[in-house]
Amino acid sequence: MPGTARRRIVGAPSEKVVGLDRDPTEIAELLVDGGSVVIVGVPGSGKSHLTRAVIAELRRRGVDPVVLRAGQPVPEGLGEHPVPGAPPLVLVVDDAPAVAEAGLEAISRAAYTGSARVLLTADTDPCTQTSGLPPVLAQLWLDGVAVRHDLQLLDDLTADQLISCIVGDDVLDSVTRAVVTQRSAGSRMLLRELALDAAEAQRGGGHDPWESRRARAGSRLADALRTVVDAYDAEQQLALALVGRLDGIEYSTLSRVVRPAVLDALKARRVLRETGPRRLLHATAPIAQEADHRLPPGRVDAVVDELVTRMLTEPGVTPSEPVMLAAAASWHSGRESVPSPGDVDPELRGLVLSTAAAAANTGGRAQLALDYVALGFAVDGHPALNLEASRALARLHEIDEAYAQISRVDASTVPVPELRRLVRWWASMIGWHPAGQTLGDIEAWLAAAGVSDASVQCELEAQRAEEHYLDLDWTGGEQHALRVVEHPEAGTLVRLRAAVVASMCAAQLGRGADGLAMLARAERINRDPVTSRPVSLRTELVLICFQAFTGVVARSVPPHLDARLRYAVGVAAQRKDRSGLALAGIVSGVALGFAAGDDARAELEFGAAIDRIDRIEFAVFRPLVGNLRASALARLGRVADARQVLDEIDIEQLRTHRLFRYSRHIVEYDIAIAAGELGTAEAALVAAETERATGDAAAGPSVTDLKRRESLARTIDNLAPAARADGLASRVLTEREHEIALLVARRLSNKEIAQQLFLSVRTVESHIYAARGKLGAGSRRELGERVREQDARDRAADDRL
């Protein structure tokens, strides 16, 4: 896989101590100066690691401490009055509570009499935060004989630094780092094993190491999880397992079966996290899985069934999405421990099944979504089921049926909020895979049902703005977008979408300040007036992405984007929001790589993001993300990897939107420059400029295109005359494009060319498309003829020489 071969993965423990709450030099100085120290922290907080660092520092200072291991007796004579003139003993006891009572008494006497300087470590209770030190040793710091150091749970910034120490800076992308941090629940021990596990998975070509797989039995990660979960009692383990099964459950719902004091204690330990005004609970996935594994079989199922039955049968119980998913799963599996679908209120039944189908689609499980839809259709149906059926069918590439699922719905019977969702999905599918459909088909469908709701029409207007933007018609895109932004009945989300389009169009029209002002306005709309937190996580990510893009165009990137991005990625990781994480990967590549001019970071982030774009609504981004990654690889000098990434892009979408063709020409320019093919670079740049001018002649060349033109001119001018002549005379097509074009001239099909050159058919199609664009050939036949004629002229010229 391009981009992974050169990355290192460090397997040995890092000796570097990271964190403001731990300083081995300071602790060593206290011991050398005659003091004693007690280090306390929850299991996995890094006490042993810090202790080893202190021992190393003492030895560097010429002090050789006595290290007492578990089960060893204390040194003979410890606790007696010191011998005059004898150097004081420095005693290190890691895990002091494991020492026998007599030994503890001796250690205490030695500290009080000054015959020994003592370094002790002990666990604190993970929920109550009380020290596990025996009273005789706890009295040391209470009496001022020893200094107590409390090790804190990892904060996100320290966790990120620690990940870099463990696996390096260039292995894990931002999203994976955020997920590893969230899963570690503040435990340094767990963070290390999760980081190494994620790095190993990424080295194997995957970018989703946090998926629900359990730690391999007998692995270091499994041992670390067992150590962490051992610290919780059965009631706490049940709470963890329940939130693991019902991720995102409301605090109020779960507190009906779990004591609030237990939930609060787990929140304090950060193995449970609470988000949003509805107080949704999220568990640290691997810890919750380990807790679930520890409990007796059927224990968690029984409590989940209790919650499901209460929701389905008791009047006035507000439906909880995680409980609805559990109900649908029970129906799907045929379990009889909960009420059957036929015994449930029809409106609630439709809500349960459509919610489950939506969750299955979001998780990439199209067939499961269709199973839920079939359960709903078998009873009475629901408009939301048609939407989810369409999404699932589109994922399975059954495009005609995906469109049919929506068009057969009677729009006049659908509530307006649901209708907006239907129209939004239908329009986004047209942007991704038109299959002969246009926005006019949606308008006709609405008109036939007599629907004229202004908020629904705004969804169509926003899609028109996006289509103009994708076709590089900045003027038209801005006009349509502003109509939505200023419309009094436009919903918040559609107004935000339109504001993003309007801002990008304004920037491309040379009004960068206007574009940034529009994005700032959108950011304010998406802020909660009380908490100042984003209302919509995905909208926040989109805003960060386009603020970075617009900032590059306007030569003024807004401040604090990295901090906002870090927060948004962290929230997506807490919520286990697959779509949010996919979007976060794209945004990280733009904001931290592209906008910052860091090509290595851009390649890392975009490489991971491409693998996560599995949602149809984001599929339109794939060509752009692939192009950005290929450009980063080219600028890093990795031309072969860049070309491989370019070959993997589906050329069907290049035919759909001018923006994709423009972007591809820019990538071809970057690759040609990196390869020293100046003629190819010139042709690619001309093709890009032509696409841009065709889209909106009023826009003029972009700032970045002008820079490329100036850079290319300087490169040519700096060449020696002979080299300049060779460079300008170089073939416009790459060697592979030229080779394939000659086979086209021989009337070989794409499949035959692929077989002859040991390439995929998609790669052959990609090269043919690129060659036609560079030579302006309108068809395969014209391409073959032009290349054959040029070759004949070249041979004739060679003969004359």
Side-chain angles (χ1 to χ4, degrees):
M1 180 177 181
T4 58
R6 299 187 182 189
R7 295 185 188 137
R8 61 190 180 89
I9 295 179
V10 181
S14 168
E15 293 304 319
K16 185 176 180 181
V17 176
V18 178
L20 298 176
D21 61 339
R22 58 201 70 210
D23 185 346
T25 302
E26 178 187 352
I27 295 173
E29 287 177 353
L30 281 170
L31 293 168
V32 170
D33 292 343
S36 291
V37 179
V38 177
I39 300 174
V40 295
V42 297
S45 58
K47 296 181 296 296
S48 295
H49 186 229
L50 175 58
T51 300
R52 287 195 298 271
V54 173
I55 292 170
E57 180 63 21
L58 287 170
R59 288 172 176 162
R60 191 182 68 81
R61 294 166 179 255
V63 177
D64 191 14
V66 174
V67 181
L68 189 63
R69 309 292 182 187
Q72 290 181 330
V74 299
E76 188 175 346
L78 182 69
E80 299 177 359
H81 286 284
V83 177
L89 173 71
V90 176
L91 178 65
V92 177
V93 186
D94 196 4
D95 193 15
V99 178
E101 186 175 352
L104 295 175
E105 293 286 352
I107 293 170
S108 176
R109 287 195 304 272
Y112 275 105
T113 60
S115 63
R117 302 152 186 186
V118 181
L119 172 60
L120 307 171
T121 73
D123 287 340
T124 55
D125 184 275
C127 293
T128 64
Q129 297 295 307
T130 55
S131 169
L133 276 173
V136 66
L137 297 183
Q139 199 64 38
L140 291 176
W141 65 267
L142 290 173
D143 289 344
V145 175
V147 175
R148 173 168 166 164
H149 278 259
D150 288 88
L151 302 186
Q152 305 300 316
L153 294 173
L154 275 171
D155 61 79
D156 291 350
L157 285 176
T158 305
D160 196 61
Q161 295 170 11
L162 198 53
I163 290 172
S164 293
C165 290
I166 295 168
V167 299
D169 292 321
D170 57 348
V171 176
L172 299 181
D173 62 283
S174 298
V175 169
T176 303
R177 283 171 172 262
V179 174
V180 166
T181 297
Q182 188 276 330
R183 296 187 79 177
S184 70
S187 167
R188 291 168 180 258
M189 171 182 63
L190 197 50
L191 182 91
R192 179 183 186 278
E193 301 310 323
L194 287 167
L196 289 171
D197 183 61
E200 188 63 30
Q202 199 164 58
R203 184 171 63 179
H207 288 286
D208 289 325
W210 60 85
E211 295 297 349
S212 57
R213 62 188 178 89
R214 282 180 52 81
R216 188 176 67 257
S219 66
R220 289 174 57 99
L221 177 55
D223 290 342
L225 287 168
R226 186 171 58 254
T227 299
V228 171
V229 175
D230 278 343
Y232 299 101
D233 61 31
E235 189 177 14
Q236 292 163 346
Q237 290 178 11
L238 176 62
L240 283 168
L242 283 170
V243 181
R245 296 267 195 105
L246 303 171
D247 187 62
I249 188 170
E250 299 85 351
Y251 183 100
S252 59
T253 301
L254 191 61
S255 61
R256 295 169 184 164
V257 293
V258 177
R259 290 188 301 121
V262 174
L263 299 179
D264 293 340
L266 294 173
K267 282 166 53 186
R269 179 60 180 85
R270 282 172 43 191
V271 286
L272 288 188
R273 300 211 182 197
E274 185 180 291
T275 62
R278 295 171 57 202
R279 305 186 67 186
L280 306 182
L281 295 175
H282 306 275
T284 304
I287 297 177
Q289 291 166 1
E290 178 65 22
D292 200 332
H293 182 67
R294 297 282 190 90
L295 294 167
R299 179 73 179 95
V300 182
D301 290 332
V303 181
V304 171
D305 287 347
E306 178 185 344
L307 288 169
V308 169
T309 301
R310 180 178 296 174
M311 181 192 71
L312 295 179
T313 60
E314 293 185 10
V317 175
T318 302
S320 166
E321 181 173 332
V323 180
M324 287 194 286
L325 298 183
S330 295
W331 292 343
H332 181 259
S333 63
R335 291 178 58 203
E336 298 181 355
S337 55
V338 300
S340 66
D343 297 330
V344 177
D345 175 76
E347 185 175 346
L348 177 58
R349 178 175 59 235
L351 178 62
V352 167
L353 289 171
S354 61
T355 299
N361 272 325
T362 300
R365 304 175 67 184
Q367 190 54 58
L368 178 61
L370 290 175
D371 289 346
Y372 286 135
V373 168
L375 279 172
F377 284 164
V379 184
D380 50 14
H382 190 280
L385 292 173
N386 292 83
L387 170 61
E388 298 308 329
S390 178
R391 291 178 62 199
L393 290 164
R395 179 180 291 279
L396 296 173
H397 301 287
E398 298 180 27
I399 304 301
D400 290 340
E401 182 58 25
Y403 279 116
Q405 279 290 342
I406 306 178
S407 61
R408 65 170 59 114
V409 173
D410 182 356
S412 64
T413 65
V414 183
V416 169
E418 195 66 41
L419 189 57
R420 285 199 296 263
R421 289 185 63 220
L422 281 169
V423 169
R424 193 180 309 134
W425 162 250
W426 192 345
S428 67
M429 195 160 53
I430 290 172
W432 168 66
H433 199 305
Q437 295 260 328
T438 67
L439 295 182
D441 293 305
I442 304 179
E443 290 177 312
W445 175 71
L446 292 171
V451 175
S452 58
D453 184 88
S455 66
V456 175
Q457 297 299 328
C458 283
E459 295 286 347
L460 287 175
E461 193 70 5
Q463 187 64 31
R464 290 190 191 93
E466 290 178 5
E467 286 193 352
H468 281 280
Y469 172 76
L470 290 172
D471 285 332
L472 305 187
D473 179 6
W474 318 117
T475 302
E478 185 179 33
Q479 290 172 350
H480 285 285
L482 289 177
R483 288 173 193 158
V484 177
V485 171
E486 303 300 337
H487 199 292
E489 295 188 43
T492 300
L493 289 180
V494 74
R495 184 178 284 115
L496 288 169
R497 280 175 57 205
V500 168
V501 176
S503 69
M504 289 299 293
C505 290
Q508 293 292 346
L509 291 167
R511 303 191 336 267
D514 290 346
L516 289 173
M518 178 63 74
L519 287 172
R521 175 182 175 183
E523 185 185 344
R524 289 192 296 273
I525 294 173
N526 193 44
R527 293 281 165 193
D528 184 285
V530 177
T531 66
S532 192
R533 295 297 190 187
V535 175
S536 165
L537 175 65
R538 293 177 197 171
T539 299
E540 171 73 351
L541 286 166
V542 169
L543 288 172
I544 294 169
C545 180
F546 283 97
Q547 281 174 318
F549 260 127
T550 305
V552 171
V553 175
R555 304 184 186 183
S556 176
V557 177
H560 311 308
L561 287 186
D562 55 344
R564 286 171 54 199
L565 177 58
R566 189 182 305 113
Y567 170 79
V569 175
V571 172
Q574 287 179 25
R575 296 177 181 173
K576 305 175 188 66
D577 181 347
R578 285 173 56 96
S579 297
L581 290 170
L583 186 57
I586 300 172
V587 179
S588 296
V590 171
L592 305 179
F594 172 76
D598 186 342
D599 290 322
R601 183 66 176 271
E603 193 281 317
L604 173 65
E605 301 291 349
F606 287 134
I610 287 175
D611 287 352
R612 296 193 185 101
I613 302 175
D614 60 354
R615 182 168 172 169
I616 299 301
E617 291 92 325
F618 297 155
V620 72
F621 292 117
R622 283 191 72 92
L624 297 177
V625 175
N627 288 340
L628 287 167
R629 185 188 182 199
S631 282
L633 286 166
R635 289 191 294 270
L636 290 169
R638 297 167 57 186
V639 174
D641 285 344
R643 284 177 171 155
Q644 181 181 338
V645 170
L646 203 61
D647 290 345
E648 293 169 354
I649 296 173
D650 186 358
I651 65 167
E652 287 301 319
Q653 289 198 322
L654 300 183
R655 299 189 180 104
T656 306
H657 297 296
R658 184 170 282 113
L659 176 62
F660 297 154
R661 297 194 293 274
Y662 168 80
S663 175
R664 182 171 183 111
H665 292 317
I666 294 302
V667 179
E668 290 167 347
Y669 166 87
D670 288 336
I671 293 174
I673 288 294
E677 300 167 352
L678 301 185
T680 301
E682 170 70 22
L685 190 53
V686 168
E689 292 167 341
T690 301
E691 285 285 3
R692 182 179 172 87
T694 304
D696 192 338
S702 71
V703 173
T704 49
D705 284 352
L706 290 173
K707 287 182 178 179
R708 293 185 186 97
R709 175 62 65 190
E710 294 168 1
S711 176
L712 179 61
R714 284 196 303 270
T715 301
I716 295 172
D717 290 342
N718 290 336
L719 293 172
R724 186 186 310 160
D726 290 342
L728 292 176
S730 64
R731 186 180 285 126
V732 169
L733 303 183
T734 65
E735 291 184 10
R736 178 66 83 184
E737 290 166 352
H738 183 259
E739 181 181 24
I740 289 175
L742 287 176
L743 294 176
V744 169
R746 290 168 47 191
R747 305 293 178 87
L748 270 67
S749 68
N750 290 350
K751 184 176 181 180
E752 290 169 334
I753 295 172
Q755 291 172 342
Q756 183 167 326
L757 299 181
F758 302 100
L759 299 172
S760 69
V761 174
R762 173 176 286 187
T763 298
V764 171
E765 291 173 344
S766 179
H767 283 304
I768 291 173
Y769 185 87
R772 285 175 55 191
K774 291 176 182 178
L775 299 182
S779 63
R780 293 176 87 259
R781 179 178 179 180
E782 185 178 350
L783 171 66
E785 290 174 352
R786 289 195 180 195
V787 172
R788 186 167 49 202
E789 291 169 1
Q790 182 61 47
D791 268 23
R793 287 194 294 270
D794 290 345
R795 284 194 297 272
D798 290 341
D799 291 342
R800 288 194 296 273
L801 293 175

